[in-house]
Amino acid sequence: MGSCAGLYGRLAEREGNDSEPQAHSLDNQSAHWKNAVGFWILGLCNNFSYVVMLSAAHDILRQEQTSRNQSHAVLLADILPTLIIKLLAPLGLHLLPYSPRVLVIGICSAGSFILVAFSQSVTISLCGVVLASISSGLGEVTFLSLTAFYPRAVISWWSSGTGGSGLLGSLSYLGLTQAGLSPQHTLLSMLGIPALLLISYFLLLISPEPQNSGREDETETAARQPLIGTEASESKTGSSWDLSLQERWTVFKGLLHYIVPLVLVYFAEYFINQGLFELLFFRNTSLSHAQQYRWYQMLYQAGVFISRSSLHCCQIRLTWVLALLQCLNLAFLLADVYMSFLPNIYLVFLIVLYEGLLGGAAYVNTFHNIALETSDKHREFAMEAACISDTLGISLSGILALPLHNFLCSLP
């Protein structure tokens, strides 16, 4: 009996030991999916609020019969705050911990909804645009730099979420207003979006594993802790807290071979979107001018979403090829606007979808490549610094696209 008891005891001990790796594996899988879903929601909410609010601002400006100069003011309020934030972020944003930044993002996002919903003047509407721009710009810098402390797979999830926001944001606003809700009630109904962003960050994301931890039990403990109440991700170890200005400049110069192509991609695609979409008008179709424009925007957003979600099956190292192809897209469509040689709108539909695919692929692959090639110490700063690429490209395209649009409209 004693030997049987000993045998059963050893079997029970072996089963207990075997269950430990299984439990650890389940914990890791749970943390992986929580982080994946968390970053997807963060990407969705960060850009969703911006897309919806900007559409509403344009509706209100149209109701107030604004001039073209005031429409240009919307574009300025849309891009300037984000540009300033992204220019200054690599210099000192790391001094502010992540949690307060996320609170500011949520407050600005909610504030943009409320201001535009109750707007009685162009000035208030523009203030709402500014708040949305601050929320979106600060959010992109914050969450992309936060990916430096997580497995690289979260970059794909974040990018997919931002791609989905273009489609879901525009469709939800259009759908609710078409269903009979006023722009004001539509905006107020979407105040849950900033709340969802805060819930995703504070309650869903799992604190990243300490990068300098050599003891497995500490790592396991950290992997089970939610971000709220912990600042593991804000540890100075492995972050950009201790980088000198010289180190920052050296890292930034090393990023230029990724930053420049992404700037060119966004310059070309937003030149197309801002300057050419309205001029690509076909009369041999049942679609009205406004419907054609909406189809262009929808197909573009669909292409962006598909390619930003494609990192698991398609990874591209030579992002300058994407920049070259996007510039060829711009040249081709510009030539068609001037000479009108395309026979029907369906060819333009394919080109616009292709434009979105190129833009989304350039975004997700640029940040994935940066994560691959930078050290743990430099990765957070590198992500912050590279964020300027898309906004700089959009700003440059806005400077040139609007005058060219007016010039082409003036041609006989």
Side-chain angles (χ1 to χ4, degrees), residues 309-390:
S309 306
S310 67
L311 189 64
H312 292 295
C313 58
C314 181
Q315 298 182 10
I316 302 170
R317 300 303 298 272
L318 301 177
T319 54
W320 63 266
V321 175
L322 301 174
L324 176 61
L325 293 173
Q326 196 72 292
C327 289
L328 290 175
N329 256 355
L330 169 58
F332 184 80
L333 291 176
L334 186 59
D336 179 68
V337 167
Y338 188 72
M339 294 184 285
S340 299
F341 54 81
L342 289 175
N344 58 66
I345 194 173
Y346 301 105
L347 292 175
V348 179
F349 283 170
L350 289 175
I351 294 170
V352 169
L353 178 64
Y354 174 57
E355 173 207 350
L357 290 171
L358 290 176
Y363 181 92
V364 66
N365 282 282
T366 292
F367 288 105
H368 180 255
N369 291 338
I370 290 172
L372 281 174
E373 296 184 9
T374 51
S375 65
D376 290 344
K377 181 180 180 182
H378 296 149
R379 191 168 298 125
E380 182 186 20
F381 169 76
M383 289 295 191
E384 287 180 350
C387 276
I388 190 62
S389 307
D390 57 350

Side-chain angles (χ1 to χ4, degrees), residues 13 54 75 87 119 132 185 190 214 230 314 324:
E13 182 180 355
L54 194 56
L75 294 176
L87 283 173
S119 172
H185 290 137
M190 293 182 177
T230 70
C314 181
L324 176 61

Side-chain angles (χ1 to χ4, degrees), residues 136-151:
S136 176
L138 181 60
E140 185 172 27
V141 172
T142 297
F143 296 127
L144 270 174
S145 59
L146 185 64
T147 64
F149 303 97
Y150 287 86

Side-chain angles (χ1 to χ4, degrees), residues 71-89:
S71 295
H72 290 174
V74 172
L75 294 176
L76 199 62
D78 160 24
I79 201 67
L80 265 185
T82 294
L83 182 63
I84 293 170
I85 287 172
K86 290 185 177 182
L87 283 173
L88 297 179

Side-chain angles (χ1 to χ4, degrees), residues 94-95 149 211-212 231-243 376-377 380:
H94 59 279
L95 298 175
F149 303 97
Q211 296 186 23
N212 61 339
E231 296 298 331
S233 61
E234 297 167 21
S235 169
K236 295 184 181 182
T237 305
S239 74
S240 58
W241 283 68
D242 53 352
L243 294 182
D376 290 344
K377 181 180 180 182
E380 182 186 20

Side-chain angles (χ1 to χ4, degrees), residues 3-4 10 19 69 75 82 97 122 154 291 311 316 353 377 397 408 412:
S3 61
C4 287
R10 287 193 295 273
S19 66
N69 288 334
L75 294 176
T82 294
V122 173
V154 299
Q291 288 173 328
L311 189 64
I316 302 170
L353 178 64
K377 181 180 180 182
S397 72
L408 291 172

Side-chain angles (χ1 to χ4, degrees), residues 109-364:
S109 178
S112 71
F113 282 130
I114 294 170
L115 276 182
V116 177
F118 293 105
S119 172
Q120 298 295 325
S121 68
V122 173
T123 302
I124 299 300
S125 294
L126 291 178
C127 288
V129 176
V130 168
L131 282 181
S133 180
I134 292 172
S135 172
S136 176
L138 181 60
E140 185 172 27
V141 172
T142 297
F143 296 127
L144 270 174
S145 59
L146 185 64
T147 64
F149 303 97
Y150 287 86
R152 284 188 294 271
V154 299
I155 296 174
S156 174
W157 289 97
W158 156 266
S159 300
S160 177
T162 59
S165 65
L167 274 178
L168 295 178
S170 57
L171 282 175
S172 61
Y173 180 79
L174 179 63
L176 289 173
T177 51
Q178 289 292 323
L181 281 181
S182 66
Q184 179 186 44
H185 290 137
T186 299
L187 285 173
L188 294 177
S189 72
M190 293 182 177
L191 281 172
I193 298 298
L196 181 60
L197 182 144
L198 295 177
I199 291 171
S200 179
Y201 175 81
F202 286 107
L203 299 180
L204 185 57
L205 282 192
I206 303 299
S207 180
E209 296 181 357
Q211 296 186 23
N212 61 339
S213 175
R215 289 180 294 176
E216 187 175 342
D217 56 338
E218 290 183 2
T219 302
E220 290 177 7
T221 301
R224 296 187 182 94
Q225 298 297 319
L227 276 172
I228 190 168
T230 70
E231 296 298 331
S233 61
E234 297 167 21
S235 169
K236 295 184 181 182
T237 305
S239 74
S240 58
W241 283 68
D242 53 352
L243 294 182
S244 66
L245 287 176
Q246 182 61 39
E247 282 181 291
R248 292 170 188 270
W249 177 242
T250 301
V251 173
F252 180 77
K253 288 191 295 183
L255 295 173
L256 286 176
H257 68 288
Y258 285 125
I259 290 177
V260 172
L262 192 56
V263 170
L264 289 175
V265 166
Y266 271 85
F267 170 81
E269 72 182 73
Y270 274 81
F271 197 103
I272 294 170
N273 295 358
Q274 294 175 357
L276 303 184
F277 270 6
E278 289 186 358
L279 302 177
L280 292 165
F281 174 54
F282 289 82
R283 301 184 186 277
N284 59 345
T285 176
S286 60
L287 298 174
S288 67
H289 193 182
Q291 288 173 328
Q292 291 180 38
Y293 182 81
R294 283 197 290 269
W295 269 104
Y296 294 152
Q297 291 288 354
M298 195 65 62
L299 288 168
Y300 165 75
Q301 296 291 354
V304 170
F305 174 60
I306 292 169
S307 57
R308 287 197 181 192
S309 306
S310 67
L311 189 64
H312 292 295
C313 58
C314 181
Q315 298 182 10
I316 302 170
R317 300 303 298 272
L318 301 177
T319 54
W320 63 266
V321 175
L322 301 174
L324 176 61
L325 293 173
Q326 196 72 292
C327 289
L328 290 175
N329 256 355
L330 169 58
F332 184 80
L333 291 176
L334 186 59
D336 179 68
V337 167
Y338 188 72
M339 294 184 285
S340 299
F341 54 81
L342 289 175
N344 58 66
I345 194 173
Y346 301 105
L347 292 175
V348 179
F349 283 170
L350 289 175
I351 294 170
V352 169
L353 178 64
Y354 174 57
E355 173 207 350
L357 290 171
L358 290 176
Y363 181 92
V364 66

